[in-house]
PDB file of all heavy atoms in Angstrom:
ATOM      1  N   LEU D 173      98.384  91.454  82.877  1.00 82.00           N
ATOM      2  CA  LEU D 173      97.232  91.560  81.994  1.00 82.00           C
ATOM      3  C   LEU D 173      96.861  93.023  81.764  1.00 82.00           C
ATOM      4  O   LEU D 173      96.569  93.432  80.626  1.00 82.00           O
ATOM      5  CB  LEU D 173      96.045  90.802  82.598  1.00 82.00           C
ATOM      6  CG  LEU D 173      94.729  90.819  81.801  1.00 82.00           C
ATOM      7  CD1 LEU D 173      94.950  90.218  80.421  1.00 82.00           C
ATOM      8  CD2 LEU D 173      93.650  90.055  82.547  1.00 82.00           C
ATOM      9  N   LEU D 174      96.900  93.819  82.823  1.00 81.00           N
ATOM     10  CA  LEU D 174      96.619  95.249  82.686  1.00 81.00           C
ATOM     11  C   LEU D 174      97.620  95.930  81.763  1.00 81.00           C
ATOM     12  O   LEU D 174      97.251  96.697  80.864  1.00 81.00           O
ATOM     13  CB  LEU D 174      96.625  95.924  84.058  1.00 81.00           C
ATOM     14  CG  LEU D 174      95.365  95.833  84.906  1.00 81.00           C
ATOM     15  CD1 LEU D 174      95.608  96.417  86.285  1.00 81.00           C
ATOM     16  CD2 LEU D 174      94.214  96.568  84.222  1.00 81.00           C
ATOM     17  N   ARG D 175      98.906  95.650  81.988  1.00 83.00           N
ATOM     18  CA  ARG D 175      99.936  96.297  81.159  1.00 83.00           C
ATOM     19  C   ARG D 175      99.824  95.864  79.708  1.00 83.00           C
ATOM     20  O   ARG D 175      99.996  96.664  78.780  1.00 83.00           O
ATOM     21  CB  ARG D 175     101.331  95.961  81.720  1.00 83.00           C
ATOM     22  CG  ARG D 175     101.616  96.664  83.034  1.00 83.00           C
ATOM     23  CD  ARG D 175     103.071  96.493  83.446  1.00 83.00           C
ATOM     24  NE  ARG D 175     103.389  95.117  83.803  1.00 83.00           N
ATOM     25  CZ  ARG D 175     103.204  94.617  85.020  1.00 83.00           C
ATOM     26  NH1 ARG D 175     102.682  95.360  85.982  1.00 83.00           N
ATOM     27  NH2 ARG D 175     103.538  93.362  85.281  1.00 83.00           N
ATOM     28  N   GLY D 176      99.506  94.571  79.491  1.00 84.00           N
ATOM     29  CA  GLY D 176      99.340  94.097  78.121  1.00 84.00           C
ATOM     30  C   GLY D 176      98.157  94.733  77.436  1.00 84.00           C
ATOM     31  O   GLY D 176      98.210  95.090  76.249  1.00 84.00           O
ATOM     32  N   THR D 177      97.052  94.897  78.174  1.00 84.00           N
ATOM     33  CA  THR D 177      95.856  95.519  77.613  1.00 84.00           C
ATOM     34  C   THR D 177      96.131  96.983  77.249  1.00 84.00           C
ATOM     35  O   THR D 177      95.730  97.455  76.178  1.00 84.00           O
ATOM     36  CB  THR D 177      94.689  95.443  78.612  1.00 84.00           C
ATOM     37  OG1 THR D 177      94.440  94.071  78.939  1.00 84.00           O
ATOM     38  CG2 THR D 177      93.426  96.055  78.024  1.00 84.00           C
ATOM     39  N   ILE D 178      96.820  97.678  78.140  1.00 85.00           N
ATOM     40  CA  ILE D 178      97.155  99.088  77.869  1.00 85.00           C
ATOM     41  C   ILE D 178      98.064  99.183  76.653  1.00 85.00           C
ATOM     42  O   ILE D 178      97.907 100.059  75.796  1.00 85.00           O
ATOM     43  CB  ILE D 178      97.833  99.709  79.097  1.00 85.00           C
ATOM     44  CG1 ILE D 178      96.833  99.773  80.263  1.00 85.00           C
ATOM     45  CG2 ILE D 178      98.372 101.094  78.783  1.00 85.00           C
ATOM     46  CD1 ILE D 178      97.473 100.084  81.597  1.00 85.00           C
ATOM     47  N   GLN D 179      99.011  98.245  76.548  1.00 84.00           N
ATOM     48  CA  GLN D 179      99.934  98.252  75.410  1.00 84.00           C
ATOM     49  C   GLN D 179      99.164  98.045  74.101  1.00 84.00           C
ATOM     50  O   GLN D 179      99.436  98.710  73.094  1.00 84.00           O
ATOM     51  CB  GLN D 179     100.981  97.159  75.597  1.00 84.00           C
ATOM     52  CG  GLN D 179     102.104  97.190  74.570  1.00 84.00           C
ATOM     53  CD  GLN D 179     103.152  96.134  74.838  1.00 84.00           C
ATOM     54  OE1 GLN D 179     102.842  95.097  75.428  1.00 84.00           O
ATOM     55  NE2 GLN D 179     104.360  96.382  74.422  1.00 84.00           N
ATOM     56  N   ARG D 180      98.201  97.139  74.127  1.00 83.00           N
ATOM     57  CA  ARG D 180      97.390  96.901  72.933  1.00 83.00           C
ATOM     58  C   ARG D 180      96.563  98.127  72.590  1.00 83.00           C
ATOM     59  O   ARG D 180      96.363  98.454  71.415  1.00 83.00           O
ATOM     60  CB  ARG D 180      96.472  95.692  73.157  1.00 83.00           C
ATOM     61  CG  ARG D 180      97.195  94.361  73.271  1.00 83.00           C
ATOM     62  CD  ARG D 180      96.200  93.266  73.617  1.00 83.00           C
ATOM     63  NE  ARG D 180      95.222  93.086  72.561  1.00 83.00           N
ATOM     64  CZ  ARG D 180      93.973  92.674  72.778  1.00 83.00           C
ATOM     65  NH1 ARG D 180      93.546  92.462  74.004  1.00 83.00           N
ATOM     66  NH2 ARG D 180      93.147  92.496  71.767  1.00 83.00           N
ATOM     67  N   TYR D 181      96.060  98.810  73.623  1.00 83.00           N
ATOM     68  CA  TYR D 181      95.227  99.989  73.389  1.00 83.00           C
ATOM     69  C   TYR D 181      96.071 101.125  72.782  1.00 83.00           C
ATOM     70  O   TYR D 181      95.620 101.815  71.860  1.00 83.00           O
ATOM     71  CB  TYR D 181      94.612 100.454  74.709  1.00 83.00           C
ATOM     72  CG  TYR D 181      93.845 101.739  74.581  1.00 83.00           C
ATOM     73  CD1 TYR D 181      92.550 101.758  74.063  1.00 83.00           C
ATOM     74  CD2 TYR D 181      94.417 102.956  74.976  1.00 83.00           C
ATOM     75  CE1 TYR D 181      91.845 102.940  73.937  1.00 83.00           C
ATOM     76  CE2 TYR D 181      93.704 104.143  74.864  1.00 83.00           C
ATOM     77  CZ  TYR D 181      92.433 104.128  74.346  1.00 83.00           C
ATOM     78  OH  TYR D 181      91.734 105.309  74.207  1.00 83.00           O
ATOM     79  N   LEU D 182      97.284 101.315  73.303  1.00 83.00           N
ATOM     80  CA  LEU D 182      98.142 102.401  72.827  1.00 83.00           C
ATOM     81  C   LEU D 182      98.782 102.088  71.472  1.00 83.00           C
ATOM     82  O   LEU D 182      99.155 103.004  70.751  1.00 83.00           O
ATOM     83  CB  LEU D 182      99.235 102.687  73.861  1.00 83.00           C
ATOM     84  CG  LEU D 182      98.748 103.225  75.209  1.00 83.00           C
ATOM     85  CD1 LEU D 182      99.925 103.371  76.182  1.00 83.00           C
ATOM     86  CD2 LEU D 182      98.032 104.559  75.045  1.00 83.00           C
ATOM     87  N   ASN D 183      98.898 100.803  71.153  1.00 82.00           N
ATOM     88  CA  ASN D 183      99.523 100.392  69.894  1.00 82.00           C
ATOM     89  C   ASN D 183      98.609  99.395  69.202  1.00 82.00           C
ATOM     90  O   ASN D 183      98.766  98.178  69.372  1.00 82.00           O
ATOM     91  CB  ASN D 183     100.898  99.796  70.164  1.00 82.00           C
ATOM     92  CG  ASN D 183     101.677  99.549  68.883  1.00 82.00           C
ATOM     93  OD1 ASN D 183     101.137  99.665  67.781  1.00 82.00           O
ATOM     94  ND2 ASN D 183     102.936  99.187  69.025  1.00 82.00           N
ATOM     95  N   PRO D 184      97.650  99.875  68.417  1.00 73.00           N
ATOM     96  CA  PRO D 184      96.686  98.967  67.768  1.00 73.00           C
ATOM     97  C   PRO D 184      97.334  97.905  66.895  1.00 73.00           C
ATOM     98  O   PRO D 184      96.731  96.863  66.622  1.00 73.00           O
ATOM     99  CB  PRO D 184      95.833  99.916  66.929  1.00 73.00           C
ATOM    100  CG  PRO D 184      95.961 101.240  67.601  1.00 73.00           C
ATOM    101  CD  PRO D 184      97.369 101.271  68.124  1.00 73.00           C
ATOM    102  N   SER D 185      98.575  98.124  66.452  1.00 70.00           N
ATOM    103  CA  SER D 185      99.231  97.126  65.605  1.00 70.00           C
ATOM    104  C   SER D 185      99.494  95.821  66.353  1.00 70.00           C
ATOM    105  O   SER D 185      99.793  94.794  65.747  1.00 70.00           O
ATOM    106  CB  SER D 185     100.559  97.683  65.070  1.00 70.00           C
ATOM    107  OG  SER D 185     101.481  97.890  66.121  1.00 70.00           O
ATOM    108  N   LEU D 186      99.393  95.868  67.680  1.00 59.00           N
ATOM    109  CA  LEU D 186      99.605  94.666  68.472  1.00 59.00           C
ATOM    110  C   LEU D 186      98.327  93.857  68.689  1.00 59.00           C
ATOM    111  O   LEU D 186      98.314  92.906  69.447  1.00 59.00           O
ATOM    112  CB  LEU D 186     100.182  95.029  69.857  1.00 59.00           C
ATOM    113  CG  LEU D 186     101.573  95.654  69.858  1.00 59.00           C
ATOM    114  CD1 LEU D 186     101.980  95.996  71.291  1.00 59.00           C
ATOM    115  CD2 LEU D 186     102.581  94.713  69.247  1.00 59.00           C
ATOM    116  N   GLN D 187      97.242  94.266  68.016  1.00 55.00           N
ATOM    117  CA  GLN D 187      95.977  93.593  68.215  1.00 55.00           C
ATOM    118  C   GLN D 187      96.069  92.122  67.831  1.00 55.00           C
ATOM    119  O   GLN D 187      96.723  91.744  66.862  1.00 55.00           O
ATOM    120  CB  GLN D 187      94.870  94.254  67.387  1.00 55.00           C
ATOM    121  CG  GLN D 187      94.529  95.665  67.841  1.00 55.00           C
ATOM    122  CD  GLN D 187      93.754  95.664  69.152  1.00 55.00           C
ATOM    123  OE1 GLN D 187      93.426  94.608  69.687  1.00 55.00           O
ATOM    124  NE2 GLN D 187      93.498  96.839  69.692  1.00 55.00           N
ATOM    125  N   MET D 188      95.392  91.268  68.606  1.00 51.00           N
ATOM    126  CA  MET D 188      95.329  89.837  68.326  1.00 51.00           C
ATOM    127  C   MET D 188      94.040  89.315  68.951  1.00 51.00           C
ATOM    128  O   MET D 188      93.428  90.002  69.758  1.00 51.00           O
ATOM    129  CB  MET D 188      96.526  89.113  68.944  1.00 51.00           C
ATOM    130  CG  MET D 188      96.524  89.081  70.461  1.00 51.00           C
ATOM    131  SD  MET D 188      97.941  88.247  71.167  1.00 51.00           S
ATOM    132  CE  MET D 188      99.200  89.475  70.887  1.00 51.00           C
ATOM    133  N   PRO D 189      93.610  88.131  68.594  1.00 49.00           N
ATOM    134  CA  PRO D 189      92.418  87.570  69.230  1.00 49.00           C
ATOM    135  C   PRO D 189      92.581  87.517  70.742  1.00 49.00           C
ATOM    136  O   PRO D 189      93.658  87.193  71.259  1.00 49.00           O
ATOM    137  CB  PRO D 189      92.326  86.160  68.622  1.00 49.00           C
ATOM    138  CG  PRO D 189      93.054  86.269  67.325  1.00 49.00           C
ATOM    139  CD  PRO D 189      94.165  87.253  67.563  1.00 49.00           C
ATOM    140  N   ALA D 190      91.515  87.842  71.453  1.00 49.00           N
ATOM    141  CA  ALA D 190      91.577  87.883  72.911  1.00 49.00           C
ATOM    142  C   ALA D 190      92.007  86.550  73.507  1.00 49.00           C
ATOM    143  O   ALA D 190      92.762  86.506  74.479  1.00 49.00           O
ATOM    144  CB  ALA D 190      90.206  88.293  73.480  1.00 49.00           C
TER     145      ALA D 190
END
Side-chain angles (χ1 to χ4, degrees):
L173 180 59
L174 277 174
R175 289 189 292 274
T177 302
I178 294 167
Q179 188 177 27
R180 292 175 64 210
Y181 175 80
L182 295 176
N183 189 350
S185 66
L186 295 178
Q187 293 288 356
M188 69 181 74

